[in-house]
Amino acid sequence: MLRTHMAVAAGLLVATAGLAQAESDAWSDIVADVFDGRAMQQSDIVTLETPYRAEDAATVPVTMHFAPPEDAGLRVERVTLVIDENPAPIAAVFELGADAGVSRIDTRVRVQSYTNVHLVAELSDGSLHMTETFVKASGGCSAPMGKDPEAAMANLGLMKLRQFDGANPEAQLMIRHPNNSGLQMDQLTRHYIPAHFIHSLTIAQGDAPILKMEGGISLSEDPSVRFEFEPNGEPIAVEAQDTEGNVFSENWPIEVGRSGT
Amino acid sequence: MPATDRTFAAAAAFWLFAWPAAALDPKEVAPGVYVIAGAVALASPENEGAIANIGFVVGRKAVAAIDPGGSATVGASLVEAVRSITDQPIRYVIYTHMHPDHVLGAAPVVAASGAEVVGHAKLASALAARAEHYLAGARDALGDEATDGLEVVLPDREVAAIATLDLGDRPLSLRAWPTAHTDNDLTVLDERTGTLFAGDLLFTEHLPVIDGSITGWLALEAELTSLPAARAVPGHGPATVDWPAAAAAQFGYLASLADSVRAQIAKGAGLAEAVEAVPPPAGNWALVETFHRRNVTAAFTELEWE
């Protein structure tokens, strides 16, 4: 419940003020608020790729890699993608399926201004591993809003799954959704346009979860999640829920990773 | 309404005093049709936000300004330019689309004239959603001082399909287009001289920028280029160009971009990979560094649904 974390941030802010002058205020607040101030180590377990410049503020590609921990008994359970300077910094939290072998996730985010981007992985022993990048905002007519909200609404909930075979099988789940932020004033009515976004997404193969995502408004319009995984031969099942209570679900037969069967 | 008039007069005096008209030289491209060509560049303190082509048409009774430009300085200079040509009132400010380099100059024009602001039916919601972002961007690009008091003006009148504005024996045909450069593109045709203000549906010199739909833009090529005009005023580039010959380069770029991006999608490339892989365009386009990768991004996220 990200919203709850936001609400308590004010209380924790005082406790952490001045603690990390070198880091941005936004990040130290987030560490305190979302991660209870727990220690994090910078490690090779997570790597993050973002463009140096947000060419299109509404659609900034992010690639997250997860390397297996040295201790074979451990695994990455959860990763949190944070865009420090966005109005809602927690872009997404991904829970990785225990047996799915997810080693990479690509998604797309909105970037409001010059910002650090952090990726935090939580291992099964509770330790936190972090990496960061910096993204320059684009200027001029590039804005972090969808290009054609009417078209996005017309196809609300339409899903597409693409599968990519190879040494590391991949799939990409796409959902038509405006993912409205709720932060934009409609200057005609003087009301805020209600937030309307995908907040929960589950991708499984048969009964085995591949990943579960809790998303926020920093994910781009028409959310896309592409992932490397180990197919088990079962169909891929997706269920997504948005903030208006809509549930979208669909199944696809698996088409990748069949070698040897 | 004397009170309103006083408000306009006071505001106009403020703007014209605060922003003495720069050397914006209106060029008469056809009888009664004037264009002030913008720099083919990003907004900067040097160009004061004058980076889009703007213009005005003078009828027997009234003047229509077509895009008030990218800053209050530009808008105030536009008022001065009109005043140097005619005493007719500026009755309309027409927006060709929502982008800041075209619309942020509206406030001083409206303040000086009380003009009615006209735009595509989808413009208000698109501009309202982006207003804060555009104002912050203008402050970054032009500096705090140059953007002090800058504001966004939303349209008073919306055009959903077609409309005609009469300036006194001078009909202007307005046409609202489906999503292309943006979701709120509108063209203005001065029927008397066959001069088409194409807005950013026509880029010349400046690399086209996709902020709407690449397939939508390509799909309207035939209809757009069949508009009966002798010349066009592009949103960026020279004050006027031959019509429709000058549209060929833009549509060539968009078509080849769509082909290259479709090829990347077909071979399974991800977005970040495609942005690196799609080659920059041939030809003498300006601002490729700034906009080509962004165009690849926009095209990819649209075409991957095909």
Side-chain angles (χ1 to χ4, degrees):
Chain A
M1 290 276 87
L2 306 178
R3 209 162 282 276
T4 313
H5 285 303
M6 297 306 151
V8 298
L12 293 169
L13 218 152
V14 180
T16 55
L19 194 143
Q21 291 296 336
E23 278 288 357
S24 73
D25 288 346
W27 177 240
S28 49
D29 291 351
I30 291 160
V31 171
D33 167 26
V34 180
F35 300 99
D36 301 325
R38 289 154 66 197
M40 291 182 188
Q41 43 185 305
Q42 299 217 13
S43 84
D44 297 340
I45 289 177
V46 279
T47 50
L48 182 59
E49 292 169 30
T50 54
Y52 173 64
R53 210 177 94 112
E55 318 284 347
D56 179 342
T59 317
V60 179
V62 172
T63 298
M64 299 163 266
H65 294 272
F66 323 115
E70 274 180 33
D71 179 344
L74 296 180
R75 66 176 196 88
V76 176
E77 281 190 340
R78 180 182 297 108
V79 288
T80 304
L81 178 64
V82 182
I83 301 159
D84 294 16
E85 304 297 334
N86 270 14
I90 310 302
V93 180
F94 297 93
E95 309 252 0
L96 308 186
D99 305 312
V102 175
S103 50
R104 184 182 127 182
I105 298 176
D106 294 353
T107 191
R108 299 152 190 181
V109 297
R110 296 175 163 135
V111 171
Q112 192 87 17
S113 57
Y114 284 59
T115 185
N116 284 319
V117 179
H118 284 90
L119 181 64
V120 180
E122 181 168 346
L123 303 195
S124 41
D125 63 357
S127 61
L128 298 179
H129 299 254
M130 182 271 280
T131 185
E132 69 182 326
T133 60
F134 180 73
V135 177
K136 281 178 73 171
S138 62
C141 56
S142 177
M145 293 89 198
K147 294 176 178 58
D148 192 342
E150 197 174 290
M153 279 306 287
N155 297 302
L156 188 74
L158 183 72
M159 286 194 239
K160 179 170 177 176
L161 186 82
R162 300 185 69 207
Q163 301 184 45
F164 309 90
D165 216 346
N168 303 303
E170 291 177 71
Q172 179 189 8
L173 188 272
M174 301 149 64
I175 310 175
R176 286 283 197 201
H177 204 287
N179 250 34
N180 283 343
S181 70
L183 296 169
Q184 300 141 17
M185 169 86 75
D186 182 334
Q187 309 240 343
L188 306 176
T189 61
R190 308 304 295 174
H191 290 123
Y192 283 94
I193 300 161
H196 182 200
F197 59 91
I198 298 282
H199 68 80
S200 163
L201 172 71
T202 306
I203 306 175
Q205 40 187 348
D207 295 330
I210 299 174
L211 59 87
K212 185 173 181 341
M213 183 197 81
E214 275 182 60
I217 57 174
S218 289
L219 291 183
S220 301
E221 176 182 13
D222 295 341
S224 164
V225 178
R226 179 168 170 161
F227 49 93
E228 271 181 19
F229 70 120
E230 291 168 7
N232 66 5
E234 297 288 321
I236 297 207
V238 172
E239 184 176 292
Q241 294 180 31
D242 75 11
T243 47
E244 290 186 359
N246 297 309
V247 178
F248 313 105
S249 57
E250 204 163 333
N251 291 279
W252 295 266
I254 189 79
E255 292 168 1
V256 294
R258 279 173 168 169
S259 54
T261 61
Chain B
M1 292 189 292
T4 311
D5 286 347
R6 269 199 303 277
T7 311
F8 283 141
F14 166 74
W15 283 117
L16 297 176
F17 175 75
W19 313 112
L24 291 190
D25 192 18
K27 180 181 177 192
E28 188 168 18
V29 300
V33 182
Y34 297 84
V35 174
I36 301 166
V40 176
L42 300 177
S44 68
E46 291 68 38
N47 60 41
E48 299 181 310
I51 59 166
N53 290 340
I54 63 175
F56 56 96
V57 179
V58 181
R60 286 168 61 93
K61 292 182 180 162
V63 174
I66 296 146
D67 282 345
S71 66
T73 318
V74 177
S77 302
L78 175 64
V79 173
E80 287 284 275
V82 173
R83 288 290 154 262
S84 71
I85 305 286
T86 176
D87 290 332
Q88 301 288 356
I90 303 174
R91 190 163 295 159
Y92 303 105
V93 171
I94 305 169
Y95 289 158
T96 60
H97 63 294
M98 67 183 172
H99 280 151
D101 50 333
H102 296 260
V103 307
L104 289 183
V109 184
V110 171
S113 62
E116 191 176 9
V117 179
V118 183
H120 189 294
K122 289 187 182 174
L123 185 141
S125 59
L127 178 55
R130 292 162 173 78
E132 267 182 65
H133 192 79
Y134 284 172
L135 292 171
R139 278 192 291 275
D140 285 348
L142 303 174
D144 287 340
E145 204 178 323
T147 50
D148 190 28
L150 191 64
E151 57 182 303
V152 163
V153 182
L154 296 177
D156 303 303
R157 187 197 289 202
E158 300 192 334
V159 180
I162 53 169
T164 302
L165 301 178
D166 187 12
L167 307 177
D169 290 335
R170 186 128 209 179
L172 296 183
S173 295
L174 275 53
R175 177 164 179 167
W177 294 84
T179 304
H181 168 62
T182 67
D183 75 350
N184 52 80
D185 302 309
L186 180 136
T187 54
V188 181
L189 178 64
D190 174 47
E191 292 182 2
R192 234 211 209 166
T193 62
T195 305
L196 176 69
F197 284 85
D200 281 4
L201 285 181
L202 176 63
F203 277 80
T204 59
E205 296 184 5
H206 183 307
L207 190 75
V209 179
I210 304 162
D211 200 15
S213 161
I214 187 170
T215 56
W217 204 346
L218 284 165
L220 58 71
E221 177 178 6
E223 214 169 340
L224 181 71
T225 54
S226 69
L227 288 180
R231 68 190 69 77
V233 180
H236 299 271
T240 55
V241 292
D242 291 339
W243 184 254
Q250 160 184 296
F251 286 111
Y253 168 68
L254 293 174
S256 114
L257 176 64
D259 287 348
S260 305
V261 170
R262 283 189 177 109
Q264 290 295 318
I265 292 167
K267 77 177 186 112
L271 171 58
E273 198 183 329
V275 166
E276 296 300 328
V278 173
N284 291 321
W285 294 109
L287 300 172
V288 169
E289 288 288 308
T290 310
F291 293 112
H292 176 65
R293 295 157 67 92
R294 175 176 164 187
N295 287 337
V296 174
T297 304
F300 189 100
T301 54
E302 178 179 350
L303 298 174
E304 69 184 335
W305 284 91
E306 288 181 339

mmCIF file with all atom_site columns, all heavy atoms in Angstrom, chain B residues 10 13 40 58 81 103-104 120 145 152 155 163 169 196 201 204 223 230 245-246:
data_model
loop_
_atom_site.group_PDB
_atom_site.id
_atom_site.type_symbol
_atom_site.label_atom_id
_atom_site.label_alt_id
_atom_site.label_comp_id
_atom_site.label_asym_id
_atom_site.label_entity_id
_atom_site.label_seq_id
_atom_site.pdbx_PDB_ins_code
_atom_site.Cartn_x
_atom_site.Cartn_y
_atom_site.Cartn_z
_atom_site.occupancy
_atom_site.B_iso_or_equiv
_atom_site.pdbx_formal_charge
_atom_site.auth_seq_id
_atom_site.auth_comp_id
_atom_site.auth_asym_id
_atom_site.auth_atom_id
_atom_site.pdbx_PDB_model_num
ATOM 1   N N   . ALA B 1 10  ? -4.886  48.165 -19.678 1.00 0.00 ? 10  ALA B N   1
ATOM 2   C CA  . ALA B 1 10  ? -3.838  48.180 -18.652 1.00 0.00 ? 10  ALA B CA  1
ATOM 3   C C   . ALA B 1 10  ? -2.882  47.008 -18.852 1.00 0.00 ? 10  ALA B C   1
ATOM 4   O O   . ALA B 1 10  ? -1.666  47.166 -18.815 1.00 0.00 ? 10  ALA B O   1
ATOM 5   C CB  . ALA B 1 10  ? -4.479  48.106 -17.259 1.00 0.00 ? 10  ALA B CB  1
ATOM 6   N N   . ALA B 1 13  ? -0.734  47.586 -21.868 1.00 0.00 ? 13  ALA B N   1
ATOM 7   C CA  . ALA B 1 13  ? 0.338   48.544 -21.605 1.00 0.00 ? 13  ALA B CA  1
ATOM 8   C C   . ALA B 1 13  ? 1.461   47.872 -20.830 1.00 0.00 ? 13  ALA B C   1
ATOM 9   O O   . ALA B 1 13  ? 2.639   48.051 -21.123 1.00 0.00 ? 13  ALA B O   1
ATOM 10  C CB  . ALA B 1 13  ? -0.220  49.730 -20.809 1.00 0.00 ? 13  ALA B CB  1
ATOM 11  N N   . VAL B 1 40  ? 14.752  28.120 -36.566 1.00 0.00 ? 40  VAL B N   1
ATOM 12  C CA  . VAL B 1 40  ? 14.708  26.653 -36.509 1.00 0.00 ? 40  VAL B CA  1
ATOM 13  C C   . VAL B 1 40  ? 15.705  26.243 -35.430 1.00 0.00 ? 40  VAL B C   1
ATOM 14  O O   . VAL B 1 40  ? 16.902  26.077 -35.687 1.00 0.00 ? 40  VAL B O   1
ATOM 15  C CB  . VAL B 1 40  ? 15.037  26.020 -37.876 1.00 0.00 ? 40  VAL B CB  1
ATOM 16  C CG1 . VAL B 1 40  ? 15.084  24.499 -37.764 1.00 0.00 ? 40  VAL B CG1 1
ATOM 17  C CG2 . VAL B 1 40  ? 13.984  26.436 -38.903 1.00 0.00 ? 40  VAL B CG2 1
ATOM 18  N N   . VAL B 1 58  ? -5.264  39.850 -42.578 1.00 0.00 ? 58  VAL B N   1
ATOM 19  C CA  . VAL B 1 58  ? -5.994  41.109 -42.401 1.00 0.00 ? 58  VAL B CA  1
ATOM 20  C C   . VAL B 1 58  ? -7.195  41.139 -43.351 1.00 0.00 ? 58  VAL B C   1
ATOM 21  O O   . VAL B 1 58  ? -7.035  41.042 -44.570 1.00 0.00 ? 58  VAL B O   1
ATOM 22  C CB  . VAL B 1 58  ? -5.074  42.313 -42.704 1.00 0.00 ? 58  VAL B CB  1
ATOM 23  C CG1 . VAL B 1 58  ? -5.817  43.626 -42.487 1.00 0.00 ? 58  VAL B CG1 1
ATOM 24  C CG2 . VAL B 1 58  ? -3.817  42.249 -41.838 1.00 0.00 ? 58  VAL B CG2 1
ATOM 25  N N   . ALA B 1 81  ? 3.469   44.101 -34.486 1.00 0.00 ? 81  ALA B N   1
ATOM 26  C CA  . ALA B 1 81  ? 3.568   43.861 -35.926 1.00 0.00 ? 81  ALA B CA  1
ATOM 27  C C   . ALA B 1 81  ? 2.229   44.126 -36.604 1.00 0.00 ? 81  ALA B C   1
ATOM 28  O O   . ALA B 1 81  ? 2.171   44.763 -37.668 1.00 0.00 ? 81  ALA B O   1
ATOM 29  C CB  . ALA B 1 81  ? 4.025   42.424 -36.184 1.00 0.00 ? 81  ALA B CB  1
ATOM 30  N N   . VAL B 1 103 ? 1.674   28.475 -28.563 1.00 0.00 ? 103 VAL B N   1
ATOM 31  C CA  . VAL B 1 103 ? 0.533   29.043 -27.820 1.00 0.00 ? 103 VAL B CA  1
ATOM 32  C C   . VAL B 1 103 ? 0.891   29.951 -26.650 1.00 0.00 ? 103 VAL B C   1
ATOM 33  O O   . VAL B 1 103 ? 0.036   30.704 -26.179 1.00 0.00 ? 103 VAL B O   1
ATOM 34  C CB  . VAL B 1 103 ? -0.412  27.932 -27.300 1.00 0.00 ? 103 VAL B CB  1
ATOM 35  C CG1 . VAL B 1 103 ? -0.838  27.017 -28.443 1.00 0.00 ? 103 VAL B CG1 1
ATOM 36  C CG2 . VAL B 1 103 ? 0.208   27.130 -26.165 1.00 0.00 ? 103 VAL B CG2 1
ATOM 37  N N   . LEU B 1 104 ? 2.124   29.901 -26.153 1.00 0.00 ? 104 LEU B N   1
ATOM 38  C CA  . LEU B 1 104 ? 2.397   30.619 -24.894 1.00 0.00 ? 104 LEU B CA  1
ATOM 39  C C   . LEU B 1 104 ? 2.380   32.144 -25.049 1.00 0.00 ? 104 LEU B C   1
ATOM 40  O O   . LEU B 1 104 ? 2.363   32.862 -24.055 1.00 0.00 ? 104 LEU B O   1
ATOM 41  C CB  . LEU B 1 104 ? 3.737   30.158 -24.279 1.00 0.00 ? 104 LEU B CB  1
ATOM 42  C CG  . LEU B 1 104 ? 3.744   28.744 -23.692 1.00 0.00 ? 104 LEU B CG  1
ATOM 43  C CD1 . LEU B 1 104 ? 5.094   28.440 -23.049 1.00 0.00 ? 104 LEU B CD1 1
ATOM 44  C CD2 . LEU B 1 104 ? 2.622   28.548 -22.677 1.00 0.00 ? 104 LEU B CD2 1
ATOM 45  N N   . HIS B 1 120 ? -8.775  23.494 -31.815 1.00 0.00 ? 120 HIS B N   1
ATOM 46  C CA  . HIS B 1 120 ? -9.347  22.153 -32.007 1.00 0.00 ? 120 HIS B CA  1
ATOM 47  C C   . HIS B 1 120 ? -10.133 21.754 -30.758 1.00 0.00 ? 120 HIS B C   1
ATOM 48  O O   . HIS B 1 120 ? -9.744  22.114 -29.635 1.00 0.00 ? 120 HIS B O   1
ATOM 49  C CB  . HIS B 1 120 ? -8.176  21.196 -32.254 1.00 0.00 ? 120 HIS B CB  1
ATOM 50  C CG  . HIS B 1 120 ? -8.550  19.813 -32.687 1.00 0.00 ? 120 HIS B CG  1
ATOM 51  N ND1 . HIS B 1 120 ? -9.234  18.925 -31.881 1.00 0.00 ? 120 HIS B ND1 1
ATOM 52  C CD2 . HIS B 1 120 ? -8.311  19.146 -33.851 1.00 0.00 ? 120 HIS B CD2 1
ATOM 53  C CE1 . HIS B 1 120 ? -9.396  17.767 -32.534 1.00 0.00 ? 120 HIS B CE1 1
ATOM 54  N NE2 . HIS B 1 120 ? -8.846  17.879 -33.727 1.00 0.00 ? 120 HIS B NE2 1
ATOM 55  N N   . GLU B 1 145 ? 13.083  35.585 -15.632 1.00 0.00 ? 145 GLU B N   1
ATOM 56  C CA  . GLU B 1 145 ? 12.696  36.964 -15.891 1.00 0.00 ? 145 GLU B CA  1
ATOM 57  C C   . GLU B 1 145 ? 11.798  37.060 -17.129 1.00 0.00 ? 145 GLU B C   1
ATOM 58  O O   . GLU B 1 145 ? 10.780  37.733 -17.141 1.00 0.00 ? 145 GLU B O   1
ATOM 59  C CB  . GLU B 1 145 ? 13.957  37.806 -16.091 1.00 0.00 ? 145 GLU B CB  1
ATOM 60  C CG  . GLU B 1 145 ? 13.745  39.277 -15.793 1.00 0.00 ? 145 GLU B CG  1
ATOM 61  C CD  . GLU B 1 145 ? 15.044  40.049 -15.972 1.00 0.00 ? 145 GLU B CD  1
ATOM 62  O OE1 . GLU B 1 145 ? 16.116  39.500 -15.619 1.00 0.00 ? 145 GLU B OE1 1
ATOM 63  O OE2 . GLU B 1 145 ? 14.974  41.168 -16.484 1.00 0.00 ? 145 GLU B OE2 1
ATOM 64  N N   . VAL B 1 152 ? -1.080  30.340 -19.518 1.00 0.00 ? 152 VAL B N   1
ATOM 65  C CA  . VAL B 1 152 ? -1.686  29.583 -20.611 1.00 0.00 ? 152 VAL B CA  1
ATOM 66  C C   . VAL B 1 152 ? -3.121  30.071 -20.788 1.00 0.00 ? 152 VAL B C   1
ATOM 67  O O   . VAL B 1 152 ? -3.835  30.265 -19.823 1.00 0.00 ? 152 VAL B O   1
ATOM 68  C CB  . VAL B 1 152 ? -1.660  28.075 -20.267 1.00 0.00 ? 152 VAL B CB  1
ATOM 69  C CG1 . VAL B 1 152 ? -2.625  27.306 -21.137 1.00 0.00 ? 152 VAL B CG1 1
ATOM 70  C CG2 . VAL B 1 152 ? -0.241  27.544 -20.424 1.00 0.00 ? 152 VAL B CG2 1
ATOM 71  N N   . PRO B 1 155 ? -8.809  27.851 -25.229 1.00 0.00 ? 155 PRO B N   1
ATOM 72  C CA  . PRO B 1 155 ? -9.704  28.393 -26.268 1.00 0.00 ? 155 PRO B CA  1
ATOM 73  C C   . PRO B 1 155 ? -11.074 28.786 -25.725 1.00 0.00 ? 155 PRO B C   1
ATOM 74  O O   . PRO B 1 155 ? -11.599 28.152 -24.805 1.00 0.00 ? 155 PRO B O   1
ATOM 75  C CB  . PRO B 1 155 ? -9.850  27.229 -27.254 1.00 0.00 ? 155 PRO B CB  1
ATOM 76  C CG  . PRO B 1 155 ? -8.726  26.312 -26.970 1.00 0.00 ? 155 PRO B CG  1
ATOM 77  C CD  . PRO B 1 155 ? -8.394  26.481 -25.520 1.00 0.00 ? 155 PRO B CD  1
ATOM 78  N N   . ALA B 1 163 ? -14.883 24.910 -39.698 1.00 0.00 ? 163 ALA B N   1
ATOM 79  C CA  . ALA B 1 163 ? -15.513 26.174 -39.317 1.00 0.00 ? 163 ALA B CA  1
ATOM 80  C C   . ALA B 1 163 ? -14.989 27.253 -40.254 1.00 0.00 ? 163 ALA B C   1
ATOM 81  O O   . ALA B 1 163 ? -13.921 27.101 -40.853 1.00 0.00 ? 163 ALA B O   1
ATOM 82  C CB  . ALA B 1 163 ? -15.180 26.525 -37.871 1.00 0.00 ? 163 ALA B CB  1
ATOM 83  N N   . ASP B 1 169 ? -15.146 40.106 -45.839 1.00 0.00 ? 169 ASP B N   1
ATOM 84  C CA  . ASP B 1 169 ? -14.783 39.719 -47.204 1.00 0.00 ? 169 ASP B CA  1
ATOM 85  C C   . ASP B 1 169 ? -13.526 38.860 -47.230 1.00 0.00 ? 169 ASP B C   1
ATOM 86  O O   . ASP B 1 169 ? -12.753 38.896 -48.191 1.00 0.00 ? 169 ASP B O   1
ATOM 87  C CB  . ASP B 1 169 ? -14.549 40.957 -48.090 1.00 0.00 ? 169 ASP B CB  1
ATOM 88  C CG  . ASP B 1 169 ? -15.843 41.686 -48.381 1.00 0.00 ? 169 ASP B CG  1
ATOM 89  O OD1 . ASP B 1 169 ? -16.905 41.018 -48.326 1.00 0.00 ? 169 ASP B OD1 1
ATOM 90  O OD2 . ASP B 1 169 ? -15.801 42.896 -48.635 1.00 0.00 ? 169 ASP B OD2 1
ATOM 91  N N   . LEU B 1 196 ? -2.176  28.390 -47.005 1.00 0.00 ? 196 LEU B N   1
ATOM 92  C CA  . LEU B 1 196 ? -2.517  27.405 -45.975 1.00 0.00 ? 196 LEU B CA  1
ATOM 93  C C   . LEU B 1 196 ? -1.576  27.538 -44.782 1.00 0.00 ? 196 LEU B C   1
ATOM 94  O O   . LEU B 1 196 ? -0.366  27.332 -44.921 1.00 0.00 ? 196 LEU B O   1
ATOM 95  C CB  . LEU B 1 196 ? -2.407  25.989 -46.545 1.00 0.00 ? 196 LEU B CB  1
ATOM 96  C CG  . LEU B 1 196 ? -2.641  24.845 -45.553 1.00 0.00 ? 196 LEU B CG  1
ATOM 97  C CD1 . LEU B 1 196 ? -4.103  24.784 -45.118 1.00 0.00 ? 196 LEU B CD1 1
ATOM 98  C CD2 . LEU B 1 196 ? -2.200  23.508 -46.153 1.00 0.00 ? 196 LEU B CD2 1
ATOM 99  N N   . LEU B 1 201 ? 1.419   20.277 -38.804 1.00 0.00 ? 201 LEU B N   1
ATOM 100 C CA  . LEU B 1 201 ? 1.155   19.163 -39.728 1.00 0.00 ? 201 LEU B CA  1
ATOM 101 C C   . LEU B 1 201 ? 2.150   19.219 -40.877 1.00 0.00 ? 201 LEU B C   1
ATOM 102 O O   . LEU B 1 201 ? 2.279   18.275 -41.642 1.00 0.00 ? 201 LEU B O   1
ATOM 103 C CB  . LEU B 1 201 ? -0.278  19.208 -40.261 1.00 0.00 ? 201 LEU B CB  1
ATOM 104 C CG  . LEU B 1 201 ? -1.345  18.779 -39.266 1.00 0.00 ? 201 LEU B CG  1
ATOM 105 C CD1 . LEU B 1 201 ? -2.727  18.834 -39.913 1.00 0.00 ? 201 LEU B CD1 1
ATOM 106 C CD2 . LEU B 1 201 ? -1.072  17.366 -38.745 1.00 0.00 ? 201 LEU B CD2 1
ATOM 107 N N   . THR B 1 204 ? 9.175   21.747 -42.199 1.00 0.00 ? 204 THR B N   1
ATOM 108 C CA  . THR B 1 204 ? 10.229  21.843 -43.214 1.00 0.00 ? 204 THR B CA  1
ATOM 109 C C   . THR B 1 204 ? 11.484  22.265 -42.462 1.00 0.00 ? 204 THR B C   1
ATOM 110 O O   . THR B 1 204 ? 11.406  22.981 -41.465 1.00 0.00 ? 204 THR B O   1
ATOM 111 C CB  . THR B 1 204 ? 9.895   22.886 -44.300 1.00 0.00 ? 204 THR B CB  1
ATOM 112 O OG1 . THR B 1 204 ? 9.709   24.155 -43.690 1.00 0.00 ? 204 THR B OG1 1
ATOM 113 C CG2 . THR B 1 204 ? 8.617   22.512 -45.050 1.00 0.00 ? 204 THR B CG2 1
ATOM 114 N N   . GLU B 1 223 ? -5.195  13.567 -48.044 1.00 0.00 ? 223 GLU B N   1
ATOM 115 C CA  . GLU B 1 223 ? -6.216  14.590 -47.854 1.00 0.00 ? 223 GLU B CA  1
ATOM 116 C C   . GLU B 1 223 ? -5.593  15.963 -47.604 1.00 0.00 ? 223 GLU B C   1
ATOM 117 O O   . GLU B 1 223 ? -6.040  16.976 -48.127 1.00 0.00 ? 223 GLU B O   1
ATOM 118 C CB  . GLU B 1 223 ? -7.098  14.184 -46.674 1.00 0.00 ? 223 GLU B CB  1
ATOM 119 C CG  . GLU B 1 223 ? -8.529  14.601 -46.846 1.00 0.00 ? 223 GLU B CG  1
ATOM 120 C CD  . GLU B 1 223 ? -9.417  13.957 -45.793 1.00 0.00 ? 223 GLU B CD  1
ATOM 121 O OE1 . GLU B 1 223 ? -9.006  12.926 -45.201 1.00 0.00 ? 223 GLU B OE1 1
ATOM 122 O OE2 . GLU B 1 223 ? -10.505 14.497 -45.567 1.00 0.00 ? 223 GLU B OE2 1
ATOM 123 N N   . ALA B 1 230 ? -2.013  27.483 -52.815 1.00 0.00 ? 230 ALA B N   1
ATOM 124 C CA  . ALA B 1 230 ? -0.893  27.798 -53.699 1.00 0.00 ? 230 ALA B CA  1
ATOM 125 C C   . ALA B 1 230 ? 0.419   27.739 -52.938 1.00 0.00 ? 230 ALA B C   1
ATOM 126 O O   . ALA B 1 230 ? 1.483   27.492 -53.500 1.00 0.00 ? 230 ALA B O   1
ATOM 127 C CB  . ALA B 1 230 ? -1.079  29.193 -54.289 1.00 0.00 ? 230 ALA B CB  1
ATOM 128 N N   . ALA B 1 245 ? 4.322   20.455 -52.798 1.00 0.00 ? 245 ALA B N   1
ATOM 129 C CA  . ALA B 1 245 ? 5.649   19.852 -53.008 1.00 0.00 ? 245 ALA B CA  1
ATOM 130 C C   . ALA B 1 245 ? 6.464   19.778 -51.718 1.00 0.00 ? 245 ALA B C   1
ATOM 131 O O   . ALA B 1 245 ? 7.175   18.787 -51.468 1.00 0.00 ? 245 ALA B O   1
ATOM 132 C CB  . ALA B 1 245 ? 6.409   20.643 -54.069 1.00 0.00 ? 245 ALA B CB  1
ATOM 133 N N   . ALA B 1 246 ? 6.330   20.819 -50.879 1.00 0.00 ? 246 ALA B N   1
ATOM 134 C CA  . ALA B 1 246 ? 7.187   20.890 -49.694 1.00 0.00 ? 246 ALA B CA  1
ATOM 135 C C   . ALA B 1 246 ? 6.853   19.842 -48.637 1.00 0.00 ? 246 ALA B C   1
ATOM 136 O O   . ALA B 1 246 ? 7.611   19.650 -47.685 1.00 0.00 ? 246 ALA B O   1
ATOM 137 C CB  . ALA B 1 246 ? 7.109   22.284 -49.083 1.00 0.00 ? 246 ALA B CB  1
#
